[in-house]
Amino acid sequence: MKGLVLTAQWDPRPDYHVSEWERTTGKAVTGSSVWRRPRLSLEALTEPALGANDVLLRPQACGVCGSDVHFYETDAQGYMLYPGLTKFPVVIGHEFSGEIVEVGAGVTELVPGDMVTCEEMIWCGECTPCRNGYPNQCLRLEEIGFTINGAQSEYLAIGAKYCWKIKALVERYGTKEKAYEAGALCEPTSVAYNAMFTRAEGFKPGGHVAVFGTGPIGFAAIALARAAGAARIIAFEVATVRQELARKVGADVVLDPLALERQGTKPRDAILELTEGEGAAMLVEAAGAPPRTIPEMEAAMAVGGKIVMIGRASERAPVYLEHFQTHAAQIYGAQGHSGYGNFPNVIRLMASGRIDLTPIITSRFTLDQGVEAIEKATRREDGKVMIKAA
Ligand SMILES: [Zn+2]
Ligand SMILES: [Zn+2]
Protein backbone atom coordinates (compact mmCIF):
# COMPACT_ATOMS: atom_id res chain seq x y z
CA MET A 1 0.00 0.00 0.00
CA LYS A 2 0.98 3.63 -0.43
CA GLY A 3 1.39 6.25 2.30
CA LEU A 4 2.57 9.83 2.65
CA VAL A 5 5.69 9.59 4.81
CA LEU A 6 7.46 12.41 6.64
CA THR A 7 11.12 11.78 7.43
CA ALA A 8 13.43 14.08 9.43
CA GLN A 9 16.85 13.93 11.09
CA TRP A 10 17.22 13.62 14.87
CA ASP A 11 19.60 16.53 15.47
CA PRO A 12 18.80 18.28 18.80
CA ARG A 13 19.65 21.98 19.03
CA PRO A 14 22.77 22.56 21.14
CA ASP A 15 20.72 24.24 23.90
CA TYR A 16 18.02 21.54 24.04
CA HIS A 17 18.20 19.01 26.83
CA VAL A 18 17.31 15.56 25.49
CA SER A 19 15.68 13.60 28.31
CA GLU A 20 16.32 9.94 29.01
CA TRP A 21 12.74 9.20 27.97
CA GLU A 22 13.23 10.96 24.63
CA ARG A 23 16.45 9.07 24.02
CA THR A 24 14.91 5.65 24.72
CA THR A 25 11.58 6.21 22.94
CA GLY A 26 12.94 8.18 19.98
CA LYS A 27 10.12 10.68 20.56
CA ALA A 28 10.80 14.40 20.78
CA VAL A 29 8.67 16.36 23.26
CA THR A 30 9.54 19.64 21.52
CA GLY A 31 9.72 18.63 17.86
CA SER A 32 10.97 22.03 16.70
CA SER A 33 14.08 21.67 18.89
CA VAL A 34 15.02 18.21 17.64
CA TRP A 35 13.92 17.43 14.08
CA ARG A 36 15.86 18.83 11.18
CA ARG A 37 15.63 18.75 7.35
CA PRO A 38 12.13 17.24 7.01
CA ARG A 39 11.23 15.54 3.73
CA LEU A 40 7.90 14.30 2.49
CA SER A 41 7.30 11.54 -0.05
CA LEU A 42 4.77 8.97 -1.17
CA GLU A 43 6.18 5.55 -0.27
CA ALA A 44 5.31 1.88 -0.65
CA LEU A 45 4.55 0.42 2.79
CA THR A 46 3.49 -2.94 4.18
CA GLU A 47 -0.15 -3.21 5.25
CA PRO A 48 -0.59 -2.64 9.00
CA ALA A 49 -1.10 -5.67 11.26
CA LEU A 50 -4.54 -5.94 12.82
CA GLY A 51 -4.65 -6.42 16.64
CA ALA A 52 -7.57 -8.18 18.35
CA ASN A 53 -9.14 -4.87 19.40
CA ASP A 54 -8.35 -2.99 16.18
CA VAL A 55 -10.26 -2.21 13.04
CA LEU A 56 -8.72 -1.93 9.58
CA LEU A 57 -9.84 1.26 7.94
CA ARG A 58 -9.75 2.51 4.39
CA PRO A 59 -9.44 6.30 4.85
CA GLN A 60 -11.89 8.15 2.57
CA ALA A 61 -11.06 11.76 3.44
CA CYS A 62 -8.19 13.21 5.46
CA GLY A 63 -7.64 16.91 6.08
CA VAL A 64 -4.26 18.62 5.95
CA CYS A 65 -3.71 20.22 9.36
CA GLY A 66 -1.62 23.25 10.31
CA SER A 67 0.54 20.73 12.18
CA ASP A 68 1.26 18.83 8.94
CA VAL A 69 2.33 22.11 7.33
CA HIS A 70 4.54 22.87 10.35
CA PHE A 71 6.23 19.45 10.02
CA TYR A 72 7.18 20.39 6.51
CA GLU A 73 8.21 24.01 7.04
CA THR A 74 11.53 24.89 8.66
CA ASP A 75 13.25 27.83 10.34
CA ALA A 76 16.56 29.38 9.18
CA GLN A 77 18.54 26.49 10.77
CA GLY A 78 16.46 23.86 9.01
CA TYR A 79 14.46 22.78 12.11
CA MET A 80 10.81 21.95 11.62
CA LEU A 81 8.32 24.46 12.98
CA TYR A 82 5.99 22.03 14.79
CA PRO A 83 6.70 22.34 18.54
CA GLY A 84 4.94 19.23 19.89
CA LEU A 85 5.35 15.48 20.46
CA THR A 86 6.71 13.74 17.37
CA LYS A 87 8.53 10.64 16.16
CA PHE A 88 9.70 10.23 12.59
CA PRO A 89 9.54 8.71 10.06
CA VAL A 90 5.75 8.60 10.21
CA VAL A 91 2.78 8.46 7.84
CA ILE A 92 1.08 11.81 8.42
CA GLY A 93 -2.69 12.47 8.57
CA HIS A 94 -4.86 12.69 11.67
CA GLU A 95 -8.13 14.42 10.63
CA PHE A 96 -9.94 11.63 8.87
CA SER A 97 -12.90 9.44 8.22
CA GLY A 98 -13.05 6.06 6.59
CA GLU A 99 -14.77 2.78 5.92
CA ILE A 100 -14.08 -0.23 8.09
CA VAL A 101 -12.93 -3.16 5.96
CA GLU A 102 -11.99 -5.68 8.67
CA VAL A 103 -12.34 -5.99 12.44
CA GLY A 104 -10.17 -7.82 15.00
CA ALA A 105 -11.47 -10.85 16.89
CA GLY A 106 -12.22 -8.81 20.04
CA VAL A 107 -14.20 -6.02 18.33
CA THR A 108 -17.91 -6.17 19.12
CA GLU A 109 -19.35 -2.70 18.33
CA LEU A 110 -18.14 -2.21 14.76
CA VAL A 111 -18.50 -4.24 11.57
CA PRO A 112 -17.03 -4.04 8.06
CA GLY A 113 -18.83 -1.35 6.07
CA ASP A 114 -19.29 1.00 9.05
CA MET A 115 -18.45 4.64 8.35
CA VAL A 116 -16.38 6.20 11.14
CA THR A 117 -14.25 9.14 12.15
CA CYS A 118 -11.50 8.67 14.73
CA GLU A 119 -9.72 10.32 17.59
CA GLU A 120 -6.08 11.15 17.01
CA MET A 121 -5.04 10.99 20.67
CA ILE A 122 -4.23 7.36 21.42
CA TRP A 123 -4.77 7.39 25.20
CA CYS A 124 -3.95 4.24 27.14
CA GLY A 125 -6.78 4.27 29.68
CA GLU A 126 -4.46 2.89 32.38
CA CYS A 127 -2.00 5.62 33.43
CA THR A 128 -2.86 7.96 36.31
CA PRO A 129 -4.08 10.95 34.20
CA CYS A 130 -6.24 8.58 32.07
CA ARG A 131 -7.69 6.92 35.17
CA ASN A 132 -8.36 10.35 36.68
CA GLY A 133 -10.35 11.43 33.63
CA TYR A 134 -7.69 13.23 31.60
CA PRO A 135 -7.25 11.14 28.43
CA ASN A 136 -5.71 14.10 26.57
CA GLN A 137 -2.96 14.21 29.18
CA CYS A 138 -2.18 10.46 28.94
CA LEU A 139 1.38 9.67 30.01
CA ARG A 140 1.73 7.00 27.32
CA LEU A 141 0.09 9.11 24.65
CA GLU A 142 0.63 8.17 21.03
CA GLU A 143 -0.67 10.50 18.37
CA ILE A 144 -1.85 9.26 14.99
CA GLY A 145 0.16 10.99 12.29
CA PHE A 146 2.65 12.40 14.85
CA THR A 147 4.23 9.44 16.67
CA ILE A 148 2.50 6.50 14.95
CA ASN A 149 1.32 6.05 11.39
CA GLY A 150 -1.57 8.21 10.24
CA ALA A 151 -4.32 8.21 7.67
CA GLN A 152 -2.68 9.68 4.57
CA SER A 153 -2.41 6.12 3.31
CA GLU A 154 -4.52 3.41 1.74
CA TYR A 155 -5.08 1.54 5.01
CA LEU A 156 -4.84 2.27 8.71
CA ALA A 157 -5.21 -0.05 11.71
CA ILE A 158 -6.65 1.66 14.78
CA GLY A 159 -8.16 0.61 18.12
CA ALA A 160 -11.95 0.30 17.90
CA LYS A 161 -12.29 2.43 21.06
CA TYR A 162 -11.06 5.50 19.16
CA CYS A 163 -13.71 5.23 16.41
CA TRP A 164 -17.06 7.04 16.23
CA LYS A 165 -19.78 6.15 13.74
CA ILE A 166 -20.81 8.90 11.32
CA LYS A 167 -23.79 7.26 9.61
CA ALA A 168 -25.96 10.15 10.85
CA LEU A 169 -23.98 12.50 8.58
CA VAL A 170 -25.14 10.70 5.41
CA GLU A 171 -28.71 11.84 6.04
CA ARG A 172 -27.61 15.45 6.53
CA TYR A 173 -25.19 15.63 3.61
CA GLY A 174 -27.02 13.39 1.14
CA THR A 175 -24.10 11.30 -0.10
CA LYS A 176 -21.49 9.09 1.54
CA GLU A 177 -18.76 11.12 -0.12
CA LYS A 178 -19.95 14.38 1.47
CA ALA A 179 -20.50 12.64 4.80
CA TYR A 180 -16.89 11.41 4.75
CA GLU A 181 -15.69 14.97 4.11
CA ALA A 182 -17.72 16.29 7.04
CA GLY A 183 -16.52 13.31 9.08
CA ALA A 184 -12.91 14.30 8.46
CA LEU A 185 -13.71 17.70 10.00
CA CYS A 186 -14.84 16.16 13.31
CA GLU A 187 -11.31 15.97 14.69
CA PRO A 188 -10.38 19.68 14.42
CA THR A 189 -13.94 20.64 15.45
CA SER A 190 -13.66 18.43 18.53
CA VAL A 191 -10.39 20.17 19.44
CA ALA A 192 -12.24 23.50 19.53
CA TYR A 193 -15.21 21.92 21.33
CA ASN A 194 -12.98 20.34 23.96
CA ALA A 195 -11.23 23.66 24.64
CA MET A 196 -14.29 25.94 24.67
CA PHE A 197 -16.95 23.73 26.24
CA THR A 198 -15.21 20.94 28.11
CA ARG A 199 -12.14 22.67 29.49
CA ALA A 200 -13.47 26.24 29.75
CA GLU A 201 -17.09 25.10 30.33
CA GLY A 202 -18.49 27.46 27.68
CA PHE A 203 -20.00 30.92 27.90
CA LYS A 204 -23.54 32.04 28.60
CA PRO A 205 -25.77 32.52 25.52
CA GLY A 206 -25.74 36.24 24.79
CA GLY A 207 -22.05 36.68 25.58
CA HIS A 208 -19.68 38.00 22.92
CA VAL A 209 -16.96 35.76 21.52
CA ALA A 210 -13.66 36.77 19.88
CA VAL A 211 -11.62 34.32 17.82
CA PHE A 212 -7.98 35.06 17.03
CA GLY A 213 -6.76 33.21 13.95
CA THR A 214 -9.17 31.56 11.54
CA GLY A 215 -7.50 28.44 10.35
CA PRO A 216 -9.65 25.30 10.62
CA ILE A 217 -9.68 25.42 14.45
CA GLY A 218 -10.76 29.06 14.37
CA PHE A 219 -13.52 28.24 11.86
CA ALA A 220 -14.75 25.48 14.16
CA ALA A 221 -14.63 27.86 17.13
CA ILE A 222 -16.76 30.38 15.21
CA ALA A 223 -19.35 27.78 14.15
CA LEU A 224 -19.53 26.39 17.70
CA ALA A 225 -19.83 29.88 19.23
CA ARG A 226 -22.75 30.61 16.93
CA ALA A 227 -24.44 27.28 17.76
CA ALA A 228 -23.95 28.02 21.47
CA GLY A 229 -25.70 31.39 21.24
CA ALA A 230 -22.94 34.01 21.07
CA ALA A 231 -24.34 37.52 20.69
CA ARG A 232 -21.58 38.81 18.45
CA ILE A 233 -18.66 36.85 17.02
CA ILE A 234 -15.58 38.89 16.19
CA ALA A 235 -12.74 37.21 14.31
CA PHE A 236 -9.19 38.34 13.55
CA GLU A 237 -7.40 36.98 10.51
CA VAL A 238 -4.75 38.24 8.10
CA ALA A 239 -5.44 36.01 5.05
CA THR A 240 -8.17 37.29 2.72
CA VAL A 241 -9.53 33.85 1.72
CA ARG A 242 -9.87 32.91 5.37
CA GLN A 243 -11.56 36.19 6.28
CA GLU A 244 -14.26 35.35 3.73
CA LEU A 245 -14.65 31.77 5.04
CA ALA A 246 -14.83 33.05 8.64
CA ARG A 247 -17.91 35.06 7.63
CA LYS A 248 -19.34 32.02 5.86
CA VAL A 249 -19.18 29.82 8.98
CA GLY A 250 -20.74 32.47 11.23
CA ALA A 251 -18.46 35.37 12.21
CA ASP A 252 -20.33 38.69 12.42
CA VAL A 253 -17.25 40.89 12.07
CA VAL A 254 -13.90 39.83 10.61
CA LEU A 255 -10.95 42.18 10.97
CA ASP A 256 -7.38 42.09 9.73
CA PRO A 257 -5.06 42.83 12.68
CA LEU A 258 -2.37 44.18 10.32
CA ALA A 259 -4.85 46.61 8.77
CA LEU A 260 -5.85 47.74 12.26
CA GLU A 261 -2.20 48.32 13.08
CA ARG A 262 -1.78 50.49 9.97
CA GLN A 263 -4.69 52.58 11.23
CA GLY A 264 -2.91 52.94 14.57
CA THR A 265 -5.42 50.78 16.42
CA LYS A 266 -5.46 47.26 17.88
CA PRO A 267 -7.75 44.20 18.18
CA ARG A 268 -8.47 45.18 21.81
CA ASP A 269 -9.88 48.54 20.68
CA ALA A 270 -12.02 46.87 18.04
CA ILE A 271 -13.46 44.32 20.50
CA LEU A 272 -14.23 46.98 23.10
CA GLU A 273 -15.86 49.22 20.52
CA LEU A 274 -17.96 46.38 19.07
CA THR A 275 -19.10 45.26 22.54
CA GLU A 276 -19.97 48.73 23.91
CA GLY A 277 -16.96 48.60 26.18
CA GLU A 278 -18.03 45.36 27.87
CA GLY A 279 -15.52 43.01 26.29
CA ALA A 280 -15.86 39.39 25.20
CA ALA A 281 -17.12 36.58 27.42
CA MET A 282 -14.84 34.13 25.64
CA LEU A 283 -11.67 34.77 23.63
CA VAL A 284 -10.21 31.91 21.64
CA GLU A 285 -6.51 31.74 20.74
CA ALA A 286 -6.31 29.77 17.50
CA ALA A 287 -3.46 31.72 15.92
CA GLY A 288 -0.56 30.10 17.78
CA ALA A 289 0.89 33.57 18.41
CA PRO A 290 0.40 34.10 22.16
CA PRO A 291 3.06 36.85 22.58
CA ARG A 292 0.95 39.00 20.26
CA THR A 293 -2.59 37.75 20.95
CA ILE A 294 -2.65 37.33 24.76
CA PRO A 295 -2.07 41.05 25.52
CA GLU A 296 -4.93 41.90 23.15
CA MET A 297 -7.22 39.28 24.62
CA GLU A 298 -6.62 40.14 28.26
CA ALA A 299 -7.32 43.82 27.55
CA ALA A 300 -10.65 42.92 25.92
CA MET A 301 -12.07 40.39 28.42
CA ALA A 302 -15.50 40.93 29.89
CA VAL A 303 -15.87 40.58 33.65
CA GLY A 304 -15.84 36.83 34.22
CA GLY A 305 -14.20 36.43 30.79
CA LYS A 306 -12.40 33.32 29.63
CA ILE A 307 -9.34 33.03 27.42
CA VAL A 308 -9.07 29.64 25.74
CA MET A 309 -5.62 28.62 24.56
CA ILE A 310 -5.68 26.21 21.60
CA GLY A 311 -2.98 27.44 19.17
CA ARG A 312 0.42 25.87 19.78
CA ALA A 313 3.66 27.84 20.18
CA SER A 314 6.93 27.19 21.98
CA GLU A 315 7.06 30.78 23.21
CA ARG A 316 6.32 32.62 26.45
CA ALA A 317 3.63 35.28 26.46
CA PRO A 318 3.42 38.35 28.68
CA VAL A 319 0.41 38.12 31.01
CA TYR A 320 -0.80 40.98 33.19
CA LEU A 321 -2.30 38.99 36.06
CA GLU A 322 -3.72 42.05 37.82
CA HIS A 323 -6.25 42.26 35.00
CA PHE A 324 -7.35 38.68 35.60
CA GLN A 325 -7.91 39.51 39.26
CA THR A 326 -9.89 42.69 38.64
CA HIS A 327 -12.00 40.95 35.97
CA ALA A 328 -12.52 37.61 37.76
CA ALA A 329 -11.17 36.20 34.54
CA GLN A 330 -9.36 33.01 33.65
CA ILE A 331 -7.21 31.40 31.06
CA TYR A 332 -7.69 27.76 30.07
CA GLY A 333 -5.09 25.51 28.49
CA ALA A 334 -6.40 22.73 26.30
CA GLN A 335 -5.01 20.10 23.99
CA GLY A 336 -6.64 17.21 22.21
CA HIS A 337 -10.24 16.16 21.79
CA SER A 338 -10.74 12.81 23.52
CA GLY A 339 -13.27 12.01 26.22
CA TYR A 340 -16.13 14.00 27.81
CA GLY A 341 -18.59 13.41 24.95
CA ASN A 342 -16.62 15.75 22.65
CA PHE A 343 -16.71 13.62 19.49
CA PRO A 344 -20.32 12.38 19.74
CA ASN A 345 -21.57 15.89 20.53
CA VAL A 346 -19.74 17.34 17.52
CA ILE A 347 -21.13 14.59 15.26
CA ARG A 348 -24.65 15.34 16.53
CA LEU A 349 -24.19 19.08 15.95
CA MET A 350 -23.16 18.34 12.37
CA ALA A 351 -25.94 15.80 11.80
CA SER A 352 -28.57 18.25 13.09
CA GLY A 353 -27.24 21.01 10.85
CA ARG A 354 -26.45 23.29 13.83
CA ILE A 355 -22.91 23.53 12.52
CA ASP A 356 -21.68 23.02 8.98
CA LEU A 357 -17.97 23.35 8.36
CA THR A 358 -17.87 21.81 4.89
CA PRO A 359 -17.66 25.26 3.20
CA ILE A 360 -14.09 25.58 4.56
CA ILE A 361 -12.90 22.77 2.24
CA THR A 362 -11.40 24.71 -0.65
CA SER A 363 -9.03 22.18 -2.31
CA ARG A 364 -9.24 18.45 -2.90
CA PHE A 365 -6.40 16.11 -3.88
CA THR A 366 -5.87 12.36 -4.22
CA LEU A 367 -3.30 10.47 -2.15
CA ASP A 368 -1.02 10.27 -5.19
CA GLN A 369 -0.99 14.09 -5.19
CA GLY A 370 -0.18 14.16 -1.46
CA VAL A 371 3.06 16.15 -1.63
CA GLU A 372 1.38 18.65 -3.92
CA ALA A 373 -1.47 18.96 -1.41
CA ILE A 374 0.90 19.84 1.44
CA GLU A 375 2.75 22.30 -0.81
CA LYS A 376 -0.58 23.95 -1.57
CA ALA A 377 -1.38 24.18 2.13
CA THR A 378 1.91 26.00 2.82
CA ARG A 379 0.67 28.84 0.60
CA ARG A 380 -2.10 29.55 3.11
CA GLU A 381 -4.62 30.41 0.48
CA ASP A 382 -7.02 27.64 1.52
CA GLY A 383 -9.52 27.02 4.24
CA LYS A 384 -8.96 23.26 4.43
CA VAL A 385 -7.06 21.11 1.98
CA MET A 386 -8.54 17.61 1.84
CA ILE A 387 -6.89 14.45 0.53
CA LYS A 388 -9.41 11.89 -0.61
CA ALA A 389 -9.52 8.26 -1.68
CA ALA A 390 -9.38 8.11 -5.46
ZN1 LIG B 1 -4.87 18.68 13.31
ZN1 LIG C 1 -2.91 6.99 29.69
Side-chain angles (χ1 to χ4, degrees):
M1 68 162 199
K2 286 175 286 190
L4 199 55
V5 177
L6 193 114
T7 325
Q9 284 170 10
W10 178 276
D11 185 6
R13 289 182 200 265
D15 61 347
Y16 184 74
H17 172 73
V18 178
S19 71
E20 193 49 42
W21 180 85
E22 288 175 306
R23 217 184 308 275
T24 49
T25 60
K27 291 180 200 167
V29 172
T30 309
S32 51
S33 291
V34 174
W35 300 107
R36 215 169 181 189
R37 299 183 192 92
R39 277 181 304 115
L40 190 67
S41 58
L42 194 68
E43 290 179 21
L45 304 160
T46 50
E47 246 185 63
L50 191 66
N53 298 314
D54 292 346
V55 300
L56 188 68
L57 206 74
R58 195 183 288 131
Q60 296 296 307
C62 183
V64 174
C65 176
S67 311
D68 299 320
V69 175
H70 283 161
F71 290 162
Y72 189 63
E73 293 177 323
T74 54
D75 66 9
Q77 284 81 44
Y79 285 94
M80 75 168 45
L81 298 185
Y82 183 71
L85 186 70
T86 31
K87 182 179 179 174
F88 299 113
V90 82
V91 175
I92 63 169
H94 62 271
E95 305 178 352
F96 61 100
S97 60
E99 185 190 4
I100 293 179
V101 290
E102 202 183 328
V103 300
V107 175
T108 53
E109 305 289 317
L110 296 165
V111 294
D114 277 346
M115 300 171 68
V116 295
T117 184
C118 305
E119 297 170 36
E120 165 265 341
M121 310 287 280
I122 303 303
W123 43 275
C124 75
E126 287 162 17
C127 70
T128 302
C130 276
R131 292 173 64 202
N132 285 340
Y134 292 93
N136 297 303
Q137 279 66 37
C138 173
L139 295 177
R140 297 182 205 142
L141 189 69
E142 297 284 0
E143 291 187 60
I144 291 185
F146 294 76
T147 64
I148 55 172
N149 282 346
Q152 298 293 15
S153 65
E154 288 175 287
Y155 293 98
L156 171 74
I158 180 171
K161 70 177 180 185
Y162 309 107
C163 299
W164 297 95
K165 291 183 195 176
I166 56 166
K167 191 164 169 265
L169 298 181
V170 183
E171 243 163 79
R172 167 63 45 185
Y173 286 99
T175 65
K176 278 191 173 186
E177 191 186 348
K178 289 251 170 241
Y180 278 126
E181 288 193 353
L185 296 169
C186 289
E187 191 276 340
T189 307
S190 298
V191 169
Y193 187 100
N194 177 60
M196 295 166 71
F197 297 96
T198 298
R199 284 285 302 123
E201 297 181 334
F203 57 88
K204 288 188 179 164
H208 299 299
V209 172
V211 177
F212 285 68
T214 62
I217 299 286
F219 294 139
I222 290 167
L224 290 169
R226 168 151 283 208
R232 198 161 216 186
I233 303 168
I234 306 157
F236 296 94
E237 172 60 44
V238 290
T240 328
V241 182
R242 291 183 164 187
Q243 290 166 358
E244 201 42 57
L245 291 171
R247 280 182 203 103
K248 230 181 217 175
V249 295
D252 297 295
V253 182
V254 186
L255 298 166
D256 179 350
L258 298 178
L260 291 178
E261 207 175 290
R262 283 193 294 274
Q263 293 158 18
T265 164
K266 291 180 166 177
R268 66 181 77 178
D269 307 316
I271 296 173
L272 289 172
E273 197 189 311
L274 289 161
T275 61
E276 271 103 39
E278 292 195 353
M282 180 171 277
L283 305 103
V284 178
E285 213 293 349
R292 294 189 294 284
T293 55
I294 294 288
E296 297 308 308
M297 293 161 95
E298 68 178 18
M301 294 183 298
V303 168
K306 299 174 176 184
I307 292 180
V308 184
M309 192 65 211
I310 315 179
R312 309 293 296 263
S314 53
E315 288 173 291
R316 289 185 174 274
V319 179
Y320 184 55
L321 290 170
E322 166 71 13
H323 214 80
F324 285 80
Q325 293 170 279
T326 57
H327 283 67
Q330 33 258 304
I331 183 159
Y332 293 87
Q335 72 164 10
H337 50 231
S338 293
Y340 320 102
N342 296 330
F343 261 75
N345 285 344
V346 162
I347 294 167
R348 278 194 289 269
L349 280 169
M350 287 185 182
S352 66
R354 301 275 181 225
I355 60 171
D356 178 17
L357 285 154
T358 55
I360 73 168
I361 305 168
T362 45
S363 289
R364 293 169 175 83
F365 291 86
T366 62
L367 183 60
D368 285 335
Q369 301 166 313
V371 178
E372 204 185 315
I374 307 288
E375 292 269 358
K376 177 84 162 51
T378 64
R379 279 180 247 146
R380 289 171 174 75
E381 54 193 25
D382 279 285
K384 174 65 78 184
V385 174
M386 195 67 77
I387 298 181
K388 301 181 62 176

